[in-house]
Amino acid sequence: MDQAAEWVKKVGVQYPVICGAMYPCSNPELVAAVSGAGGLGIVQPLSLVYVYRQDLRKSLKQIRELSGGKPYGFNALIEASSKIYMDRMKAWVDIALEEGCRFFVTALGNPKWVVDKVKAVDGLVFHDVTERKWAEKALAAGVDGLICVNRRAGGHAGSKSPEELYRELESLKVPLVAAGGVGDAKQFNEMLRMGYSAVQMGTRFIATTESKAHDDYKKAILDAGEDDVVLTERLTGVPVAVINSPTVKKFGTKAGPIAKWLLKHPKAKHWMRLYYSLKSFRTLKHSSLKGVGYLDFWQAGKSVATIHDLPSAKQIVEQFGKEWLSTRR
């Protein structure tokens, strides 16, 4: 497992454990708890600014203070559907760099401009990918590693198993992070033994004491099995992994024929993505924070099958970290 030890040293953390960026569940206390325990918490700026109503710079300072000055990461969603949004994201990336963040996770676009900014201060950029063609494009833009999103992930999942994705990307000779389907220490170590440099988790960290997700959301994770996680197109126009709640069953999981056509149209697709994004941001925000009294659209991955308790994020990081260290002796 030398690849994990190398990643840990390069990033400056104790354990190869990442709390993935989650809209709307990445509250500052959760991010700080993961980083403070020796993992790497990833900031999701849309969550901090629009869900928790915090000034980004102040929130980053808060995370730094709560974590005891430990490293954290920053998520830059760079799909260029709106100039206003892109200008805002560029400003946020600048603030994160000014506040000392040196690990960035990019997604949904060309990461070149992020790479240029981050490499200027010797930082690292990893890009979300679901298959090799996107990995090659990201590497051409200069990223340092890849977040390998498999079909067991929550939210926007990939189409391949962790094993298939690793075999497909291994020859690229860059650090690979497993993302999707890991909820216990056994699965965590399986990913590292396979050759991944670190493991990113989301669903496991929603079901913690530091997470501000509604108790109904956490209970749904504890009660769900693998077969309860389904893909719905009703949130963003593309498949999103969610728990098959009464609301999901009521609305169905398929986008309408007109929406599908517009999402494939060369000119209209960007506006449709923007429309779906704005709509889903509001739906997911209220669903996650208000519980069944609103709508129960709850993103989750297949890891729900192994999640049966609500520990602290610190306990999870330390438990997984100790398991990893025990295999290296």
Side-chain angles (χ1 to χ4, degrees):
M1 297 192 203
D2 289 344
Q3 75 289 337
E6 186 176 330
W7 185 88
V8 160
K9 183 178 180 181
K10 183 180 291 188
V11 178
V13 296
Q14 288 177 265
Y15 311 120
V17 178
I18 300 174
C19 176
M22 298 173 286
Y23 181 91
C25 295
S26 292
N27 57 290
E29 296 83 1
L30 176 58
V31 175
V34 172
S35 287
L40 187 69
I42 306 293
V43 168
Q44 213 298 315
L46 291 165
S47 294
L48 295 186
V49 175
Y50 296 114
V51 177
Y52 300 104
R53 301 293 181 181
Q54 297 198 14
D55 174 82
L56 181 63
R57 191 182 298 275
K58 289 181 180 178
S59 189
L60 296 182
K61 290 182 183 296
Q62 178 192 11
I63 289 169
R64 180 73 71 183
E65 182 179 349
L66 290 174
S67 70
K70 299 290 183 66
Y72 62 88
F74 190 90
N75 178 223
L77 300 176
I78 50 177
E79 208 281 318
S81 58
S82 163
K83 184 179 184 303
I84 294 174
Y85 169 78
M86 285 300 293
D87 288 344
R88 191 159 298 171
M89 182 56 71
K90 289 176 180 178
W92 287 343
V93 167
D94 287 340
I95 290 172
L97 289 169
E98 290 165 8
E99 292 302 320
C101 182
R102 293 296 181 266
F103 188 94
F104 288 75
V105 176
T106 53
L108 301 181
N110 187 335
K112 181 68 167 60
W113 68 266
V114 180
V115 169
D116 290 343
K117 286 176 178 286
V118 175
K119 290 296 182 69
V121 293
D122 297 323
L124 298 170
V125 180
F126 278 52
H127 190 73
D128 277 4
V129 299
T130 56
E131 55 185 290
R132 187 173 177 112
K133 69 176 181 178
W134 304 122
E136 290 174 344
K137 288 186 177 183
L139 291 173
V143 303
D144 302 281
L146 305 167
I147 309 291
C148 308
V149 184
N150 61 57
R151 67 185 179 207
R152 297 178 58 78
H156 288 106
S159 61
K160 299 179 180 179
S161 71
E163 295 82 2
E164 289 172 321
L165 201 49
Y166 181 79
R167 287 195 299 269
E168 185 175 302
L169 303 178
E170 179 184 13
S171 63
L172 295 174
K173 302 299 182 183
V174 295
L176 305 177
V177 175
V182 175
D184 62 19
K186 179 183 177 183
Q187 294 171 321
F188 174 77
N189 274 328
E190 285 175 358
M191 295 299 104
L192 297 180
R193 279 195 293 270
M194 196 181 300
Y196 284 106
S197 294
V199 179
Q200 176 176 287
M201 292 170 280
T203 308
R204 173 64 276 190
F205 284 112
I206 295 174
T208 59
T209 56
E210 292 91 347
S211 168
K212 288 191 176 179
H214 196 279
D215 286 346
D216 290 344
Y217 190 174
K218 295 180 183 181
K219 184 177 185 301
I221 290 173
L222 298 185
D223 292 345
E226 281 199 20
D227 293 341
D228 295 311
V229 175
V230 298
L231 295 175
T232 179
E233 299 171 354
R234 304 287 292 190
L235 282 170
T236 65
V238 296
V240 174
V242 297
I243 294 173
N244 195 16
S245 66
T247 298
V248 173
K249 293 174 182 175
K250 176 182 177 182
F251 284 93
T253 58
K254 300 296 182 182
I258 295 176
K260 284 186 175 182
W261 180 81
L262 289 171
L263 283 164
K264 293 178 180 178
H265 192 279
K267 293 183 178 180
K269 63 182 181 181
H270 296 295
W271 293 108
M272 281 300 293
R273 287 174 186 168
L274 178 60
Y275 165 75
Y276 265 115
S277 294
L278 294 173
K279 180 182 177 183
S280 66
F281 283 157
R282 182 177 184 276
T283 300
L284 290 172
K285 171 185 173 181
H286 292 302
S287 295
S288 299
L289 301 182
K290 293 185 177 182
V292 295
Y294 182 72
L295 291 173
D296 42 0
F297 275 112
W298 293 322
Q299 297 179 95
K302 297 289 188 178
S303 61
V304 293
T306 60
I307 299 173
H308 308 295
D309 57 357
L310 291 172
S312 68
K314 181 175 186 289
Q315 287 174 310
I316 292 171
V317 173
E318 290 181 345
Q319 178 196 357
F320 286 28
K322 288 176 181 176
E323 289 285 339
W324 169 63
L325 292 175
S326 70
T327 64
R328 301 182 63 230
R329 294 193 183 103

